[in-house]
Amino acid sequence: MGLRRGIGLLVVLSVAALNLVACATTTGDPPPTLYKRLGGREGIALVVGDFVTSMAGDSRVNARFKDMKGPEIEKLKSHLTDQICDATGGPCSYLGRDMKTAHKGMKITDAEWNATVENLTKALDKHKVDPKDRSELLGLLGPMKADIVGQ
Ligand code: HEM
């Protein structure tokens, strides 16, 4: 290889190496979304499963769900999972009714809301969700209260 070609190759390789260094230092991986930190849709589905079981066993709220049949409960779980996946940055679309419509005419009370949050917290704790992530999720759901309670 001639000197000129050798120098030419060296320049090309040096530029390539500098670009790699620049990429490594300036980009880096983005932090995982809350969706990822919850274990993706599968992780969310496990939490939702325990949450719904816990709601069904809680006399403060279970009268609300007593007339629902197996397939309806499964649909509710699937909707809740999609809703949380969607809200936390996951690749899902919640296609159920909006919260105002879904809870219309139920006159859900503050006490029922609090019991529900308690059951969700319990399910998140059972699955060892980090308290910071737990708060982040509860913070995303909190603003829905206005559309759910007292409708
Ligand atoms: C953050 C709080 C809550 C969220 C995110 C939530 C979410 C949902 C979702 C996604 C559905 C399904 C809607 C659809 O299929 O179109 C639903 C239905 C329902 N929710 Fe909630 N909900 C919450 C709080 C509550 C509370 C506090 C109660 C009562 C204790 C309640 C009782 C119900 C019932 C009974 C249904 C079934 C309605 C039906 O199929 O006719 N929800 N909720």
Side-chain angles (χ1 to χ4, degrees), residues 47-124:
V47 170
V48 165
D50 278 324
F51 163 62
V52 170
T53 300
S54 167
M55 290 292 279
D58 183 345
S59 62
R60 296 172 295 177
V61 289
N62 60 10
R64 299 288 190 176
F65 304 92
K66 71 173 178 5
D67 293 333
M68 290 175 77
K69 300 192 170 65
E72 289 169 315
I73 294 286
E74 291 312 307
K75 189 159 180 206
L76 176 62
K77 283 187 202 169
S78 173
H79 270 160
L80 281 169
T81 304
D82 280 338
Q83 189 185 32
I84 293 174
C85 170
D86 197 344
T88 55
C92 312
S93 299
Y94 169 63
L95 301 174
R97 292 167 292 171
D98 64 78
M99 290 299 94
K100 229 183 161 79
T101 309
H103 301 92
K104 208 173 196 72
M106 290 191 203
K107 302 253 183 295
I108 292 169
T109 64
D110 260 303
E112 287 176 299
W113 171 268
N114 292 339
T116 300
V117 171
E118 199 183 297
N119 285 315
L120 182 56
T121 303
K122 215 167 72 180
L124 290 162

Side-chain angles (χ1 to χ4, degrees), residues 9 15 22 42 48 53 68 114 133 139 144:
L9 186 63
V15 168
E42 270 181 64
V48 165
T53 300
M68 290 175 77
N114 292 339
D133 295 339
M144 296 177 185

